[in-house]
Structure formats: C-alpha cells, structure tokens
Amino acid sequence: MTATEATGLAEPGLEAHFDEVIAAEQRIEPRDWMPDAYRATLIRQIAQHAHSEIIGMQPEGNWLTRAPSLRRKAILLAKAQDEAGHGLYLYAAAETLGIDRAELTEKLISGRQKYSSIFNYPTLTFADVGVIGWLVDGAAICNQVPLCRCSYGPYARAMVRICKEESFHQRQGYELLITLMRGTDAQRRMVQDAVDRWWWPSLMMFGPSDGDSPNTARSMAWRIKRHTNDELRQRFVDMTVPQAEHLGVTLPDPALSWNEARGSWDFGEPDWSELKQVIKGQGPCNEQRVERRRAAHEDGAWVREAALAYARKRRSEGGADHD
Ligand code: 3HC
C-alpha cells in the first residue's frame, strides 16, 4: 500500500487525474486512486442499494405460498430470485472498494446501514404484488437507469444488468394489474386500495426533496448521481400518470394536474415526516424486516461454514475452487 492509499491524501497529480477522468465521462476502476470520501460515498450508496434488494424480497415473498395460480407463483419466484441476484451483484461491486460483504451484512442487521424506506410497508393483498411491480419497480427504473452512467465502473456495469431485469419486473406488475382490472368489481377495488397505499411511499423512494438532501450535490459533482431526487421524482410522476389512466385507477393526489407551461404534471407534497420516521426505523414493518434478515443470516451460518470448509479442502488438495 502506498502512503497515498494509507492516508487518503493524493500524491501530486493523482487527484488532478481523478478529476480529469470524471470530467471526461470516463470510469474510475477499483485499482485507480480515488478520494476517501468518494470511496465512502460509493460504499454507503451501493451497500444501501444491495440491502434494499435483499430486504425487498420479503414483502413479495409474503405471497409466494398464496399466489393464486401456478403461473403467478412461478413469476413471483423468478422475480424474488432476480432480487437476490441484484443483491449479489451489488455486494460484489461494493467489495471492489475494499469492504467485506460479511461486514456489510453485519451493519444492516445491527441497524448501522440503511435500506430503502419502501420495503417497510406491508403487502396486504395479491394486488400489492402487481402494484409493487408497477410503481416500486417503476420508481427503481427511473432512479437506476441513470446509474448505468455512474462514474464508478463496477457499479455502473452491475446497474446495466439490473435495469434490464427491473424493466421486466415492472411489465409483470402492470400485466397483473391489467388482468385484475378486467376482473370483478372486488378485484378492481383491491387494485385501487393497493394503489392508494403504495403511491406516496413510492414517491418517497427518491429520497428527501433537493433542499433537504445533504448528499446530492457532491454525488452529482462526482457523477455518481446524474439527477437530483426531485428531478427523478418528477420523471416518475410524468411516466406514471398516463399508465394509471390506461389502467383505470386514480392516483390518490388531489393536487395532480397537468401543467401546460412546464409540459409536466404538478403533484402534491409527500409527507416528509413519514419518510423520516420510516428511515429512522419506525415504519410499519422495520422491526420485522430486520429481524427476519437476522434470523435468515443466523440460520444460514452452517451453509457458509460448509462452503468455506469445502473450499479449504479443495485448495489443500490442490484442486480448483470450482470446476
Ligand atoms: N429510504 C431510506 N433512506 C433514504 C431514502 C429512502 N427512500 N432516501 C434517502 N435516504 C437516506 C439517504 O441514504 C441518506 O442517508 P445517509 O446519508 O445516512 O446514507 C439520507 O436519507 C439523505 O438522503 P440523500 O438524498 O442526501 O441521499 P443520497 O444522495 O444517497 O440519495 C438515493 C438517496 C436516491 C436513495 C440514492 O442513494 C440512490 O439513488 N441509491 C441507489 C438506488 C437505491 O438504493 N434504491 C433503493 C431501492 S432498491 C430497489 O428499488 C429494489 C428493486 O427491486 C425495487
């Protein structure tokens, strides 16, 4: 390790080179010099993102045993497996920054790292599965497509694959909702009820408004984030309103109206105090989500131990780690 790496202070020229790479829209790779704060910001964001994918399996997982048909069950299983895969790509991207996945998991289950607020709400009916696909994955796509152009190579590359799968998730949610909307009055009411419960939390996924977002300016200067939270939220609303009309559901916001001058939709203010509470751990399901994650981690200890013992044995026998 060089003195620069140890202290985080740039040798002459290194910081200038880093700035030039960012300005030229090129990628920073794991072996490149980077400021400590850039590394810390990436670890924070990528870890939160990975944790969200893993915790995000729980709300929909709740319906795996009660899916209304074999087809719906197979789709939902595949989606939950995709989320697990996204978590893995993202933990792997975080590891290139010099942090261990076990440490990140420990930080999640001890409450020292965050995950997305959206996964702290309950899934009360099967329509929630459709609405999560449509709104939550829809919001995730708006937020994450620009991350494919993030300045840090491993994160940007992971996002390309993740976004392709998220688009598929959104389509399956919308298709499920269209099917329900063509069904009975009770099914249509179920969809509307789910939309009423998930709309505002979906808007909150984009984070606090720009004036209250301490990290945005620096993350944008480093080209980690490409747009502010409010810009992405607006993009999501503009994308979603026509889809809601096509579906035949009402978005629960009396302030929603077309702004001719701006060429986009005006909408109401999310309840920021609710977002703060949920982020602080006081949402409807925070405790349950983290507790389940902790239990799954502890229950899986023997699998990790067995895999490690097997890898050690193979190495001592001179074999490949995998063949
Ligand atoms: N839930 C929980 N915490 C949130 C949050 C939310 N919806 N929005 C913001 N926060 C936290 C931030 O992490 C930050 O806390 P920290 O400084 O302790 O880390 C604080 O609130 C202030 O917010 P900022 O806007 O200043 O923070 P960021 O610049 O990091 O922006 C973000 C927040 C927009 C969520 C950004 O981190 C981001 O784009 N992350 C990558 C995408 C991501 O993690 N998405 C989560 C959903 S995952 C998902 O969608 C899975 C899919 O399968 C559906």
Side-chain angles (χ1 to χ4, degrees), residues 44-45 48-50 52-53 56 79 83 86 114-119 132 136-137 139-140 143-144 147 155 166 169 204-208 212-216 219 225 229 232 275 279:
R44 177 184 65 79
Q45 178 164 329
Q48 283 179 17
H49 195 166
S52 305
E53 299 282 356
K79 182 173 189 255
E83 311 293 1
H86 298 173
K114 298 185 170 83
Y115 60 90
S116 181
S117 52
I118 193 73
F119 300 119
I132 288 177
V136 175
D137 290 287
N143 171 270
Q144 293 171 17
L147 294 175
Y155 190 26
E166 297 292 9
H169 294 173
M204 292 175 201
M205 277 176 76
F206 294 92
D212 279 326
S213 164
N215 302 308
T216 294
S219 289
K225 282 170 85 161
N229 299 352
L232 293 172
L275 176 64
I279 293 180

Short mmCIF file of all heavy atoms in Angstrom, two decimals, residues 44-45 48-50 52-53 56 79 83 86 114-119 132 136-137 139-140 143-144 147 155 166 169 204-208 212-216 219 225 229 232 275 279, ligand 1:
data_model
loop_
_atom_site.label_atom_id
_atom_site.label_comp_id
_atom_site.label_asym_id
_atom_site.label_seq_id
_atom_site.Cartn_x
_atom_site.Cartn_y
_atom_site.Cartn_z
N ARG A 44 -21.41 3.55 0.87
CA ARG A 44 -22.70 3.86 1.51
C ARG A 44 -23.85 3.60 0.54
O ARG A 44 -24.80 2.88 0.85
CB ARG A 44 -22.70 5.34 1.95
CG ARG A 44 -23.98 5.83 2.56
CD ARG A 44 -23.91 7.32 2.89
NE ARG A 44 -23.78 8.17 1.72
CZ ARG A 44 -24.80 8.51 0.91
NH1 ARG A 44 -26.01 8.06 1.15
NH2 ARG A 44 -24.60 9.29 -0.13
N GLN A 45 -23.76 4.16 -0.66
CA GLN A 45 -24.88 4.04 -1.60
C GLN A 45 -25.04 2.61 -2.12
O GLN A 45 -26.15 2.08 -2.19
CB GLN A 45 -24.70 5.02 -2.77
CG GLN A 45 -25.83 4.87 -3.79
CD GLN A 45 -25.94 6.03 -4.75
OE1 GLN A 45 -25.63 7.17 -4.41
NE2 GLN A 45 -26.42 5.75 -5.96
N GLN A 48 -26.40 0.34 0.66
CA GLN A 48 -27.84 0.57 0.89
C GLN A 48 -28.66 -0.04 -0.23
O GLN A 48 -29.73 -0.60 -0.02
CB GLN A 48 -28.14 2.07 0.91
CG GLN A 48 -27.74 2.75 2.20
CD GLN A 48 -28.04 4.24 2.17
OE1 GLN A 48 -28.81 4.72 1.33
NE2 GLN A 48 -27.43 4.98 3.06
N HIS A 49 -28.13 0.08 -1.43
CA HIS A 49 -28.84 -0.44 -2.59
C HIS A 49 -28.90 -1.97 -2.51
O HIS A 49 -29.96 -2.58 -2.70
CB HIS A 49 -28.11 0.03 -3.85
CG HIS A 49 -28.89 -0.12 -5.10
ND1 HIS A 49 -28.55 0.48 -6.28
CD2 HIS A 49 -29.99 -0.85 -5.38
CE1 HIS A 49 -29.42 0.15 -7.20
NE2 HIS A 49 -30.30 -0.67 -6.70
N ALA A 50 -27.76 -2.61 -2.19
CA ALA A 50 -27.72 -4.07 -2.07
C ALA A 50 -28.68 -4.54 -0.97
O ALA A 50 -29.47 -5.48 -1.16
CB ALA A 50 -26.29 -4.54 -1.76
N SER A 52 -31.28 -3.11 0.08
CA SER A 52 -32.68 -2.91 -0.36
C SER A 52 -33.14 -4.07 -1.23
O SER A 52 -34.29 -4.51 -1.13
CB SER A 52 -32.82 -1.60 -1.17
OG SER A 52 -32.34 -0.51 -0.44
N GLU A 53 -32.26 -4.53 -2.09
CA GLU A 53 -32.64 -5.65 -2.96
C GLU A 53 -32.93 -6.89 -2.10
O GLU A 53 -33.89 -7.62 -2.36
CB GLU A 53 -31.51 -5.98 -3.95
CG GLU A 53 -31.14 -4.85 -4.90
CD GLU A 53 -32.12 -4.68 -6.05
OE1 GLU A 53 -33.06 -5.50 -6.18
OE2 GLU A 53 -31.96 -3.71 -6.83
N GLY A 56 -35.90 -6.32 0.13
CA GLY A 56 -37.05 -6.18 -0.78
C GLY A 56 -37.66 -7.51 -1.20
O GLY A 56 -38.76 -7.54 -1.75
N LYS A 79 -39.03 -13.54 -9.84
CA LYS A 79 -38.75 -12.14 -9.50
C LYS A 79 -37.94 -12.06 -8.20
O LYS A 79 -36.93 -11.35 -8.12
CB LYS A 79 -40.05 -11.36 -9.38
CG LYS A 79 -39.83 -9.90 -9.08
CD LYS A 79 -41.11 -9.09 -9.13
CE LYS A 79 -40.80 -7.63 -9.03
NZ LYS A 79 -41.09 -7.03 -7.75
N GLU A 83 -34.13 -10.54 -7.49
CA GLU A 83 -33.73 -9.55 -6.47
C GLU A 83 -32.51 -10.05 -5.70
O GLU A 83 -31.59 -9.29 -5.39
CB GLU A 83 -34.85 -9.27 -5.45
CG GLU A 83 -36.23 -8.96 -6.01
CD GLU A 83 -36.35 -7.67 -6.77
OE1 GLU A 83 -35.33 -6.97 -6.90
OE2 GLU A 83 -37.44 -7.37 -7.28
N HIS A 86 -29.59 -9.41 -7.80
CA HIS A 86 -29.19 -7.99 -7.80
C HIS A 86 -28.39 -7.67 -6.55
O HIS A 86 -27.40 -6.95 -6.59
CB HIS A 86 -30.42 -7.08 -7.83
CG HIS A 86 -31.26 -7.24 -9.06
ND1 HIS A 86 -32.48 -6.63 -9.24
CD2 HIS A 86 -31.06 -7.98 -10.18
CE1 HIS A 86 -32.98 -6.97 -10.41
NE2 HIS A 86 -32.14 -7.78 -11.00
N LYS A 114 -28.54 1.62 6.15
CA LYS A 114 -29.95 1.77 5.79
C LYS A 114 -30.32 0.86 4.62
O LYS A 114 -29.44 0.32 3.94
CB LYS A 114 -30.20 3.21 5.36
CG LYS A 114 -29.96 4.25 6.43
CD LYS A 114 -30.38 5.63 5.90
CE LYS A 114 -30.38 6.68 6.99
NZ LYS A 114 -29.04 7.24 7.25
N TYR A 115 -31.61 0.76 4.38
CA TYR A 115 -32.14 0.18 3.14
C TYR A 115 -33.37 0.99 2.80
O TYR A 115 -33.84 1.79 3.62
CB TYR A 115 -32.46 -1.32 3.31
CG TYR A 115 -33.47 -1.61 4.38
CD1 TYR A 115 -34.83 -1.66 4.10
CD2 TYR A 115 -33.06 -1.81 5.71
CE1 TYR A 115 -35.76 -1.90 5.10
CE2 TYR A 115 -33.99 -2.05 6.70
CZ TYR A 115 -35.33 -2.09 6.40
OH TYR A 115 -36.25 -2.31 7.39
N SER A 116 -33.91 0.78 1.60
CA SER A 116 -34.96 1.68 1.14
C SER A 116 -36.21 1.64 2.03
O SER A 116 -36.70 0.56 2.39
CB SER A 116 -35.35 1.35 -0.30
OG SER A 116 -36.36 2.25 -0.72
N SER A 117 -36.73 2.84 2.31
CA SER A 117 -37.95 3.00 3.11
C SER A 117 -39.11 2.17 2.57
O SER A 117 -39.94 1.68 3.33
CB SER A 117 -38.35 4.48 3.10
OG SER A 117 -38.41 4.96 1.77
N ILE A 118 -39.16 1.99 1.26
CA ILE A 118 -40.35 1.38 0.64
C ILE A 118 -40.63 -0.02 1.14
O ILE A 118 -41.78 -0.46 1.17
CB ILE A 118 -40.21 1.38 -0.91
CG1 ILE A 118 -41.53 1.06 -1.61
CG2 ILE A 118 -39.12 0.41 -1.39
CD1 ILE A 118 -42.53 2.13 -1.57
N PHE A 119 -39.59 -0.72 1.57
CA PHE A 119 -39.78 -2.13 1.94
C PHE A 119 -40.23 -2.30 3.39
O PHE A 119 -40.25 -3.41 3.91
CB PHE A 119 -38.52 -2.93 1.62
CG PHE A 119 -38.20 -2.86 0.14
CD1 PHE A 119 -37.00 -2.32 -0.31
CD2 PHE A 119 -39.12 -3.30 -0.80
CE1 PHE A 119 -36.74 -2.23 -1.67
CE2 PHE A 119 -38.86 -3.21 -2.16
CZ PHE A 119 -37.67 -2.67 -2.60
N ILE A 132 -46.52 -3.25 -6.54
CA ILE A 132 -45.06 -3.14 -6.29
C ILE A 132 -44.32 -3.23 -7.63
O ILE A 132 -43.42 -2.43 -7.91
CB ILE A 132 -44.58 -4.23 -5.30
CG1 ILE A 132 -45.09 -3.91 -3.90
CG2 ILE A 132 -43.05 -4.33 -5.30
CD1 ILE A 132 -44.74 -4.97 -2.85
N VAL A 136 -43.23 0.41 -7.61
CA VAL A 136 -41.93 0.36 -6.93
C VAL A 136 -40.81 0.04 -7.92
O VAL A 136 -39.78 0.71 -7.95
CB VAL A 136 -41.97 -0.65 -5.75
CG1 VAL A 136 -40.60 -0.81 -5.11
CG2 VAL A 136 -43.01 -0.21 -4.72
N ASP A 137 -41.04 -0.97 -8.77
CA ASP A 137 -40.01 -1.25 -9.78
C ASP A 137 -39.95 -0.12 -10.80
O ASP A 137 -38.87 0.17 -11.33
CB ASP A 137 -40.26 -2.61 -10.43
CG ASP A 137 -39.98 -3.76 -9.44
OD1 ASP A 137 -38.80 -4.02 -9.16
OD2 ASP A 137 -40.94 -4.35 -8.92
N ALA A 139 -40.41 3.07 -10.12
CA ALA A 139 -39.59 4.13 -9.49
C ALA A 139 -38.13 3.71 -9.49
O ALA A 139 -37.23 4.52 -9.74
CB ALA A 139 -40.08 4.37 -8.06
N ALA A 140 -37.89 2.42 -9.23
CA ALA A 140 -36.50 1.93 -9.22
C ALA A 140 -35.85 2.14 -10.59
O ALA A 140 -34.70 2.57 -10.68
CB ALA A 140 -36.46 0.45 -8.82
N ASN A 143 -34.92 5.74 -11.13
CA ASN A 143 -33.76 6.10 -10.30
C ASN A 143 -32.48 5.44 -10.80
O ASN A 143 -31.39 6.00 -10.71
CB ASN A 143 -34.07 5.67 -8.85
CG ASN A 143 -32.88 5.78 -7.93
OD1 ASN A 143 -32.14 4.83 -7.79
ND2 ASN A 143 -32.70 6.94 -7.33
N GLN A 144 -32.62 4.23 -11.35
CA GLN A 144 -31.43 3.41 -11.57
C GLN A 144 -30.88 3.44 -13.00
O GLN A 144 -29.69 3.18 -13.20
CB GLN A 144 -31.71 1.97 -11.12
CG GLN A 144 -31.89 1.93 -9.59
CD GLN A 144 -32.38 0.60 -9.06
OE1 GLN A 144 -32.31 -0.41 -9.74
NE2 GLN A 144 -32.90 0.60 -7.85
N LEU A 147 -27.98 5.48 -13.22
CA LEU A 147 -26.81 4.93 -12.52
C LEU A 147 -25.97 4.03 -13.43
O LEU A 147 -24.82 3.72 -13.11
CB LEU A 147 -27.24 4.14 -11.27
CG LEU A 147 -27.88 4.97 -10.15
CD1 LEU A 147 -28.39 4.07 -9.02
CD2 LEU A 147 -26.89 5.99 -9.59
N TYR A 155 -20.01 -0.43 -10.34
CA TYR A 155 -21.42 -0.12 -10.00
C TYR A 155 -22.21 0.10 -11.31
O TYR A 155 -23.29 -0.45 -11.49
CB TYR A 155 -21.45 1.14 -9.13
CG TYR A 155 -22.80 1.47 -8.49
CD1 TYR A 155 -23.76 0.49 -8.24
CD2 TYR A 155 -23.11 2.78 -8.12
CE1 TYR A 155 -24.98 0.82 -7.63
CE2 TYR A 155 -24.32 3.11 -7.52
CZ TYR A 155 -25.25 2.13 -7.27
OH TYR A 155 -26.45 2.45 -6.68
N GLU A 166 -35.19 -5.19 -14.00
CA GLU A 166 -36.23 -4.36 -13.37
C GLU A 166 -37.33 -4.00 -14.37
O GLU A 166 -38.49 -3.89 -14.02
CB GLU A 166 -35.64 -3.07 -12.77
CG GLU A 166 -34.63 -3.24 -11.65
CD GLU A 166 -35.21 -3.80 -10.35
OE1 GLU A 166 -36.38 -4.23 -10.33
OE2 GLU A 166 -34.47 -3.83 -9.35
N HIS A 169 -39.62 -6.74 -14.47
CA HIS A 169 -40.45 -6.77 -13.25
C HIS A 169 -41.59 -5.78 -13.35
O HIS A 169 -42.71 -6.05 -12.93
CB HIS A 169 -39.60 -6.42 -12.02
CG HIS A 169 -38.53 -7.43 -11.71
ND1 HIS A 169 -37.58 -7.24 -10.75
CD2 HIS A 169 -38.29 -8.64 -12.26
CE1 HIS A 169 -36.78 -8.31 -10.71
NE2 HIS A 169 -37.19 -9.16 -11.62
N MET A 204 -41.67 8.62 -2.15
CA MET A 204 -40.63 8.86 -1.13
C MET A 204 -39.36 8.05 -1.40
O MET A 204 -38.30 8.37 -0.85
CB MET A 204 -41.15 8.49 0.27
CG MET A 204 -42.24 9.42 0.76
SD MET A 204 -42.87 8.82 2.33
CE MET A 204 -44.47 9.62 2.37
N MET A 205 -39.46 7.02 -2.22
CA MET A 205 -38.27 6.22 -2.54
C MET A 205 -37.13 7.08 -3.09
O MET A 205 -35.96 6.74 -2.96
CB MET A 205 -38.59 5.19 -3.64
CG MET A 205 -39.23 3.94 -3.16
SD MET A 205 -39.66 2.90 -4.56
CE MET A 205 -38.09 2.24 -5.04
N PHE A 206 -37.50 8.19 -3.77
CA PHE A 206 -36.48 9.02 -4.42
C PHE A 206 -35.67 9.85 -3.42
O PHE A 206 -34.74 10.54 -3.81
CB PHE A 206 -37.13 9.94 -5.45
CG PHE A 206 -37.73 9.17 -6.61
CD1 PHE A 206 -39.05 8.76 -6.59
CD2 PHE A 206 -36.93 8.81 -7.68
CE1 PHE A 206 -39.58 8.01 -7.63
CE2 PHE A 206 -37.45 8.07 -8.73
CZ PHE A 206 -38.78 7.66 -8.71
N GLY A 207 -36.07 9.77 -2.14
CA GLY A 207 -35.33 10.49 -1.12
C GLY A 207 -35.93 11.84 -0.83
O GLY A 207 -36.91 12.26 -1.44
N PRO A 208 -35.34 12.57 0.14
CA PRO A 208 -35.88 13.88 0.53
C PRO A 208 -35.84 14.87 -0.63
O PRO A 208 -35.14 14.64 -1.62
CB PRO A 208 -34.94 14.31 1.66
CG PRO A 208 -33.71 13.49 1.52
CD PRO A 208 -34.10 12.22 0.84
N ASP A 212 -33.37 19.32 1.09
CA ASP A 212 -33.07 18.56 2.32
C ASP A 212 -32.18 17.36 2.07
O ASP A 212 -32.11 16.46 2.90
CB ASP A 212 -34.39 18.05 2.93
CG ASP A 212 -35.07 19.12 3.73
OD1 ASP A 212 -34.35 19.94 4.33
OD2 ASP A 212 -36.31 19.16 3.70
N SER A 213 -31.54 17.32 0.91
CA SER A 213 -30.72 16.15 0.58
C SER A 213 -29.24 16.50 0.74
O SER A 213 -28.65 17.17 -0.11
CB SER A 213 -31.01 15.73 -0.87
OG SER A 213 -30.01 14.87 -1.34
N PRO A 214 -28.62 16.08 1.84
CA PRO A 214 -27.24 16.51 2.10
C PRO A 214 -26.22 15.94 1.10
O PRO A 214 -25.16 16.53 0.91
CB PRO A 214 -26.96 15.97 3.51
CG PRO A 214 -27.96 14.90 3.75
CD PRO A 214 -29.15 15.22 2.91
N ASN A 215 -26.55 14.82 0.47
CA ASN A 215 -25.52 14.13 -0.34
C ASN A 215 -25.56 14.45 -1.84
O ASN A 215 -24.58 14.18 -2.55
CB ASN A 215 -25.67 12.61 -0.19
CG ASN A 215 -25.55 12.17 1.26
OD1 ASN A 215 -24.59 12.53 1.93
ND2 ASN A 215 -26.52 11.43 1.75
N THR A 216 -26.70 14.98 -2.32
CA THR A 216 -26.88 15.07 -3.77
C THR A 216 -25.81 15.89 -4.48
O THR A 216 -25.23 15.43 -5.48
CB THR A 216 -28.28 15.63 -4.10
OG1 THR A 216 -29.24 14.67 -3.67
CG2 THR A 216 -28.46 15.85 -5.60
N SER A 219 -22.51 14.07 -4.75
CA SER A 219 -22.61 12.86 -5.58
C SER A 219 -22.79 13.22 -7.05
O SER A 219 -22.33 12.49 -7.93
CB SER A 219 -23.79 12.00 -5.12
OG SER A 219 -23.48 11.41 -3.89
N LYS A 225 -24.41 10.21 -8.83
CA LYS A 225 -25.80 10.52 -9.18
C LYS A 225 -25.79 11.42 -10.41
O LYS A 225 -24.92 12.27 -10.54
CB LYS A 225 -26.49 11.24 -8.02
CG LYS A 225 -26.90 10.31 -6.89
CD LYS A 225 -27.36 11.07 -5.66
CE LYS A 225 -28.82 11.47 -5.69
NZ LYS A 225 -29.33 11.80 -4.32
N ASN A 229 -32.90 14.20 -6.61
CA ASN A 229 -34.05 13.39 -6.17
C ASN A 229 -35.35 13.95 -6.76
O ASN A 229 -36.20 13.19 -7.23
CB ASN A 229 -34.14 13.40 -4.64
CG ASN A 229 -32.91 12.80 -3.98
OD1 ASN A 229 -32.03 12.25 -4.65
ND2 ASN A 229 -32.83 12.89 -2.65
N LEU A 232 -35.84 13.21 -10.53
CA LEU A 232 -36.23 11.83 -10.81
C LEU A 232 -37.67 11.57 -10.38
O LEU A 232 -38.42 10.85 -11.05
CB LEU A 232 -35.27 10.85 -10.11
CG LEU A 232 -33.84 10.88 -10.67
CD1 LEU A 232 -32.91 10.05 -9.81
CD2 LEU A 232 -33.81 10.35 -12.11
N LEU A 275 -41.52 9.89 5.90
CA LEU A 275 -40.26 9.33 5.37
C LEU A 275 -39.19 9.29 6.47
O LEU A 275 -38.50 8.28 6.65
CB LEU A 275 -39.77 10.13 4.16
CG LEU A 275 -38.42 9.67 3.60
CD1 LEU A 275 -38.48 8.24 3.05
CD2 LEU A 275 -37.92 10.61 2.49
N ILE A 279 -37.31 5.98 7.83
CA ILE A 279 -35.84 5.85 7.73
C ILE A 279 -35.23 5.63 9.12
O ILE A 279 -34.27 4.88 9.28
CB ILE A 279 -35.21 7.09 7.05
CG1 ILE A 279 -35.64 7.18 5.58
CG2 ILE A 279 -33.68 7.04 7.12
CD1 ILE A 279 -35.08 8.37 4.82
N1 3HC B 1 -35.09 5.13 2.12
C1 3HC B 1 -34.13 5.06 3.07
N2 3HC B 1 -33.17 6.01 3.20
C2 3HC B 1 -33.20 7.06 2.34
C3 3HC B 1 -34.17 7.17 1.34
C4 3HC B 1 -35.15 6.17 1.25
N3 3HC B 1 -36.13 6.20 0.33
N4 3HC B 1 -33.94 8.31 0.64
C5 3HC B 1 -32.87 8.88 1.20
N5 3HC B 1 -32.43 8.13 2.22
C6 3HC B 1 -31.33 8.45 3.13
C7 3HC B 1 -30.02 8.50 2.39
O1 3HC B 1 -29.45 7.22 2.28
C8 3HC B 1 -29.22 9.46 3.25
O2 3HC B 1 -28.80 8.79 4.43
P1 3HC B 1 -27.21 8.56 4.75
O3 3HC B 1 -26.52 9.86 4.44
O4 3HC B 1 -27.17 8.14 6.15
O5 3HC B 1 -26.77 7.49 3.81
C9 3HC B 1 -30.28 10.45 3.72
O6 3HC B 1 -31.52 9.76 3.61
C10 3HC B 1 -30.31 11.73 2.91
O7 3HC B 1 -30.67 11.46 1.52
P2 3HC B 1 -29.85 11.96 0.26
O8 3HC B 1 -30.82 12.28 -0.81
O9 3HC B 1 -28.90 13.05 0.64
O10 3HC B 1 -29.01 10.64 -0.05
P3 3HC B 1 -28.48 10.09 -1.45
O11 3HC B 1 -27.81 11.17 -2.22
O12 3HC B 1 -27.72 8.86 -1.17
O13 3HC B 1 -29.82 9.72 -2.27
C11 3HC B 1 -30.96 7.73 -3.00
C12 3HC B 1 -30.69 8.68 -1.83
C13 3HC B 1 -31.73 8.48 -4.08
C14 3HC B 1 -31.80 6.58 -2.47
C15 3HC B 1 -29.61 7.25 -3.58
O14 3HC B 1 -28.82 6.71 -2.56
C16 3HC B 1 -29.74 6.22 -4.67
O15 3HC B 1 -30.05 6.56 -5.80
N6 3HC B 1 -29.43 4.95 -4.37
C17 3HC B 1 -29.37 3.86 -5.34
C18 3HC B 1 -30.70 3.24 -5.58
C19 3HC B 1 -31.28 2.60 -4.37
O16 3HC B 1 -30.64 2.33 -3.38
N7 3HC B 1 -32.58 2.31 -4.44
C20 3HC B 1 -33.27 1.68 -3.36
C21 3HC B 1 -34.40 0.95 -3.87
S1 3HC B 1 -33.86 -0.64 -4.33
C22 3HC B 1 -34.95 -1.17 -5.30
O17 3HC B 1 -35.56 -0.35 -5.79
C23 3HC B 1 -35.06 -2.65 -5.47
C24 3HC B 1 -35.97 -3.02 -6.57
O18 3HC B 1 -36.02 -4.39 -6.64
C25 3HC B 1 -37.34 -2.47 -6.45
#
